[in-house]
Amino acid sequence: MSAGRYSYGPWHDGPDPLAPPVDLRAALEQLGRDVMDGSSPRSALDELLRRGTDDTSGLDELTRRLWERRSRIQRRHNLDGTLREVRELLDRALAAERTALFPDPSDDARFREARLDALPPGTAGAVRDLADYDWRSAEAREAYQQIRDKLGQELMESRFQGMKQALSEMRPEDAERIRAMMADLNDLLLAHLRGDDTTDQFARFMSRHGEFFPENPRTVEDLIDALAARAAAAQRMMNSMSAQQRAELSELMGNAFGDPRLVEQVATLDANLRALRPGEDWTSSARFRGQDPLGLGEGAQAMADLAELDALAEQLSQSYPGARLEDIDLEALQRQLGDDAGVDARRLSELERELRAQGLLERAADGSLRLSPKALRRLGETALSDVVSALRAGRGERDTANAGAAGEPIGSSRPWRFGDTEAWDVPRTVRNAVLRSVSAGTGRVRLDVSDVEVVETEQRARAAVALCVDTSWSMVQDGRWVPMKRTALALHHLVSTRFRSDDLSLITFGRHASTVDIGGLTALEGVWEQGTNLHHALLLAGRHLRRNPDAQPVVLVVTDGEPTAHLEPDGHAEFHYPTTPRTLRKTLAEVDSLAKLGASVTVFMLGEDPSLAAFVDLIARRSGGRVVAPDLDGLGSAVVGDYLRTRRPRQ
């Protein structure tokens, strides 16, 4: 290209460098929601790819369109197009010949008419018997020649894609060129079948006959692959016909180009390809029930399309071992469904690749897929953002007015006092020394203890936070599972990013209670297990608070049912429904223990169970806490809001 001149065209060399980046936030939100709902990350990723995103069709939609196109091909077409067209040409030739013979009173004319009347009723038999007939009518002769050319074109098109168009204007020398090509092709395939080195032979073949192969195969293996796929499609088309249609068409093909040797060469070609590619589908069939007739070449293409659609459907199913979206043949998908389908499949592939490349998915020690800490942070950020929007409030802090203790600088300074441990405010200290020395008239600046100023700070008190969440089956059954997890994510993200000195413990309780990390809680699956062991959860909460004696204690409980289980001294979880006085007493005893540690218990009550309402009200009165009854959409803002309330300074 000369200097100053440019050429523009579609980008084909890999992903479009100017395409907008894949939106991972919405995808991760969907992925995280499915994981929190109990799906494994692998299943959640598969579901995301099947479902797609707002602007990208998923694998399920693409598969639906594939099956719709497959059904449309079979519903609209039938396979007797060649037989019909040959019959029409034959009837035209016979009518023209009879018209030409009728005015002639000679015996020869009557003999010819008698011969025409004695033709077999079948199309193939009539065409065969007329092979040596000397046509009186030029129109009839031309129609009969069209039959031969038509059969030759259809036969070639069924084995060589695009051949029909290349032979649309048949010349006498074309038939000889085709016979020469077929002879050379069979020699090449036979040599390759024997195991000979056919590199040079293939190069000579393509140099001589390359015009018949617009797909431009690079190697003999590429050539065999293309020819075998086409020949197998033609065979499946023949299998799909009735026995009568198949016999008649096979007999007709002996008249292709008026040379029976051609069909013999095609039979040899098919035998060679079967031997070279036995794995191709040579035996199946399909049912065509439409009204639009297809010729032999078009029928072979329809069968090839059906096979390609089946292969694409398998690729889109991703159900085989080691399946990846990179396996999808984008060019084939675009051929069958259009460019937009190729774009959607490419976006899904990029989405899967980016989720892995950006570290949002990782392998666990057992080889399973899980959300990475980075993904959990992003999910927490999204959950917290939703909560903050619901709160319609700014960032909350809890500060004390104890200036002079280690903490956050507030922008001012003060004179140093004995025992201070804060950092010096160096500029102010030097300035004080200079001003004092100048006012004293001394020539040299000397630093005195009276010059020293320290940075003034606010002390930020720590909090030990225990979030106890109910994981009994009723939470799953009543649709509270995901809101509970999003609440925990939001609180965890808030503590880990804005109140880093706080110590948050996540405690789940069903029949038993346990301490989990945020990854474990996010991936926790609902289990059919009876029991709400708040007693065990409060025991673990108390243990957490005692590990942080210098921190402000905060206990938050999310539950939808009164306690129905408690922990015995031997570690056994005792379950009773309805609850028993012993379970209630042991649970309230732990509430009292937490109150002695200075912790008030805030209970977030889900549902409208009167017995639960009475019990949590008792907890609030005994611990100095409170009861909040949010709806599911407001659970996150209620929990985070209450946490922020405890972080405000106490006057």
Side-chain angles (χ1 to χ4, degrees):
M1 183 168 52
S2 60
R5 298 184 64 185
Y6 301 90
S7 175
Y8 298 91
W11 178 268
H12 296 297
D13 189 14
D16 184 355
L18 300 181
V22 178
D23 182 12
L24 294 181
R25 185 173 294 274
L28 183 60
E29 176 68 14
Q30 291 186 42
L31 193 67
R33 180 173 292 276
D34 287 343
V35 170
M36 288 187 286
D37 206 19
S39 298
S40 68
R42 176 71 260 178
S43 298
L45 177 59
D46 291 343
E47 179 62 25
L48 171 64
L49 297 176
R50 286 195 297 268
R51 190 169 54 225
T53 61
D54 292 340
D55 58 351
T56 304
S57 297
L59 298 178
D60 283 351
E61 172 61 17
L62 293 176
T63 302
R64 184 195 65 79
R65 290 169 60 187
L66 286 177
W67 288 117
E68 186 179 75
R69 171 160 168 72
R70 194 185 199 285
S71 176
R72 189 164 58 247
I73 291 174
Q74 293 181 265
R75 195 172 56 248
R76 289 185 178 181
H77 302 294
N78 61 58
L79 299 177
D80 62 354
T82 298
L83 294 175
R84 285 191 189 185
E85 195 166 349
V86 170
R87 184 76 242 184
E88 290 172 1
L89 288 171
L90 179 61
D91 290 343
R92 187 193 310 167
L94 293 176
E97 183 68 8
R98 284 192 171 96
T99 301
L101 294 174
F102 180 74
D104 186 353
S106 66
D107 292 340
D108 179 64
R110 301 292 79 77
F111 176 77
R112 288 173 178 271
E113 287 176 340
R115 182 174 178 183
L116 295 181
D117 292 339
L119 288 173
T123 303
V127 171
R128 181 192 65 239
D129 284 3
L130 291 169
D132 59 352
Y133 182 78
D134 183 15
W135 297 91
R136 181 77 65 86
S137 167
E139 180 184 352
R141 185 183 303 109
E142 181 182 356
Y144 186 79
Q145 185 59 43
Q146 287 178 3
I147 291 175
R148 289 179 162 181
D149 293 345
K150 174 70 177 176
L151 292 172
Q153 292 167 6
E154 292 286 356
L155 182 60
M156 290 297 99
E157 175 69 9
S158 69
R159 299 308 192 276
F160 305 93
Q161 189 171 5
M163 183 75 79
K164 186 175 181 179
Q165 289 76 14
L167 300 176
S168 58
E169 296 182 1
M170 189 69 182
R171 297 169 299 178
E173 59 270 20
D174 289 336
E176 184 57 38
R177 289 171 48 239
I178 290 173
R179 281 191 291 270
M181 182 273 291
M182 290 294 294
D184 290 347
L185 177 59
N186 281 319
D187 288 343
L188 173 63
L189 297 183
L190 189 58
H192 194 74
L193 187 59
R194 289 196 304 263
D196 298 347
D197 184 357
T198 56
T199 305
D200 294 338
Q201 188 176 356
F202 170 73
R204 290 193 301 271
F205 174 82
M206 290 302 298
S207 176
R208 184 179 179 187
H209 305 295
E211 60 185 302
F212 293 107
F213 304 93
E215 62 270 23
N216 192 26
R218 300 292 183 182
T219 65
V220 69
E221 293 291 342
D222 292 343
L223 176 64
I224 293 171
D225 287 341
L227 292 174
R230 189 72 175 180
Q235 182 59 54
R236 293 195 301 274
M237 190 209 74
M238 296 293 287
N239 299 342
S240 304
M241 293 180 170
S242 67
Q244 181 181 354
Q245 288 175 324
R246 189 160 51 246
E248 192 164 9
L249 189 57
S250 297
E251 187 176 353
L252 275 174
M253 286 303 134
N255 296 279
F257 295 137
D259 186 352
R261 294 175 297 174
L262 184 60
V263 75
E264 295 175 2
Q265 290 177 319
V266 170
T268 302
L269 173 65
D270 288 349
N272 288 332
L273 292 173
R274 278 176 178 264
L276 288 164
R277 292 293 184 269
E280 286 285 347
D281 182 6
W282 301 92
T283 58
S284 68
S285 60
R287 183 185 175 194
F288 290 81
R289 54 191 182 275
Q291 300 299 318
D292 183 18
L294 296 176
L296 185 59
E298 294 168 332
Q301 182 59 51
M303 298 303 296
D305 286 341
L306 293 181
E308 191 166 69
L309 289 167
D310 290 343
L312 286 170
E314 183 179 9
Q315 294 164 15
L316 292 177
S317 73
Q318 296 285 287
S319 58
Y320 50 91
R324 298 183 67 88
L325 289 185
E326 286 82 354
D327 300 341
I328 298 174
D329 187 339
L330 296 180
E331 291 184 0
L333 191 64
Q334 288 173 324
R335 276 195 303 271
Q336 298 298 335
L337 299 183
D339 292 342
D340 60 329
V343 170
D344 287 339
R346 187 177 291 108
R347 282 178 178 169
L348 291 175
S349 179
E350 291 173 0
L351 176 61
E352 181 188 41
R353 185 168 56 249
E354 285 300 313
L355 284 171
R356 297 176 185 274
Q358 294 199 20
L360 300 178
L361 296 171
E362 64 180 15
R363 292 285 179 187
D366 61 357
S368 62
L369 207 61
R370 68 183 180 189
L371 295 177
S372 68
K374 181 178 181 180
L376 293 172
R377 286 194 299 271
R378 289 200 182 182
L379 289 174
E381 180 183 349
T382 301
L384 181 59
S385 176
D386 294 342
V387 166
V388 170
S389 298
L391 285 171
R392 298 181 180 277
R395 173 179 172 180
E397 297 284 357
R398 174 167 59 84
D399 302 324
T400 63
N402 295 336
E408 299 282 344
I410 62 174
S412 60
S413 62
R414 60 171 178 78
W416 175 83
R417 295 193 296 266
F418 179 78
D420 284 344
T421 60
E422 286 72 30
W424 285 15
D425 188 331
V426 176
R428 286 183 177 273
T429 298
V430 173
R431 175 178 175 274
N432 291 341
V434 171
L435 291 177
R436 180 181 52 76
S437 300
V438 170
S439 62
T442 59
R444 299 175 63 185
V445 177
R446 292 181 178 273
L447 194 64
D448 187 79
V449 70
S450 62
D451 301 325
V452 177
E453 292 198 22
V454 295
V455 175
E456 198 166 16
T457 64
E458 292 176 328
Q459 181 184 13
R460 187 140 304 162
R462 293 179 63 245
V465 185
L467 175 62
C468 306
V469 292
D470 188 346
T471 56
S472 60
W473 180 251
S474 60
M475 293 286 287
V476 180
Q477 183 176 345
D478 296 334
R480 297 160 181 159
W481 195 251
V482 173
M484 175 270 290
K485 291 185 177 182
R486 286 180 59 83
T487 297
L489 273 168
L491 183 61
H492 178 270
H493 189 74
L494 178 65
V495 171
S496 61
T497 58
R498 303 190 185 182
F499 297 97
R500 296 182 180 178
S501 62
D502 287 2
D503 191 357
L504 172 64
S505 177
L506 300 175
I507 301 170
T508 62
F509 62 97
R511 178 71 67 91
H512 292 85
S514 62
T515 302
V516 297
D517 59 20
I518 190 60
L521 178 59
T522 302
L524 186 66
E525 298 183 16
V527 178
W528 171 250
E529 182 183 52
Q530 291 180 309
T532 303
N533 198 338
L534 180 58
H535 168 247
H536 192 186
L538 295 179
L539 276 172
L540 296 180
R543 185 181 303 171
H544 175 64
L545 300 185
R546 291 184 183 92
R547 284 198 297 264
N548 296 273
D550 61 334
Q552 178 182 343
V554 179
V555 179
L556 310 172
V557 177
V558 178
T559 185
D560 69 346
E562 62 180 333
T564 56
H566 65 269
L567 202 65
E568 292 290 350
D570 61 358
H572 171 68
E574 188 74 24
F575 166 74
H576 291 283
Y577 183 83
T579 188
T580 63
R582 177 172 171 78
T583 296
L584 296 180
R585 284 197 304 271
K586 291 184 75 68
T587 303
L588 290 174
E590 284 308 313
V591 172
D592 295 340
S593 296
L594 293 174
K596 292 177 182 179
L597 295 175
S600 59
V601 180
T602 301
V603 182
F604 300 89
M605 183 182 70
L606 303 178
E608 300 177 354
D609 182 2
S611 59
L612 172 62
F615 180 73
V616 297
D617 184 63
L618 182 59
I619 290 178
R621 289 201 309 270
R622 293 182 69 146
S623 69
R626 65 192 191 116
V627 177
V628 182
D631 56 22
L632 288 181
D633 291 337
L635 176 61
S637 58
V639 172
V640 171
D642 194 81
Y643 167 71
L644 293 174
R645 181 181 62 82
T646 66
R647 298 299 317 253
R648 297 192 188 107
R650 297 182 178 180
Q651 302 299 331

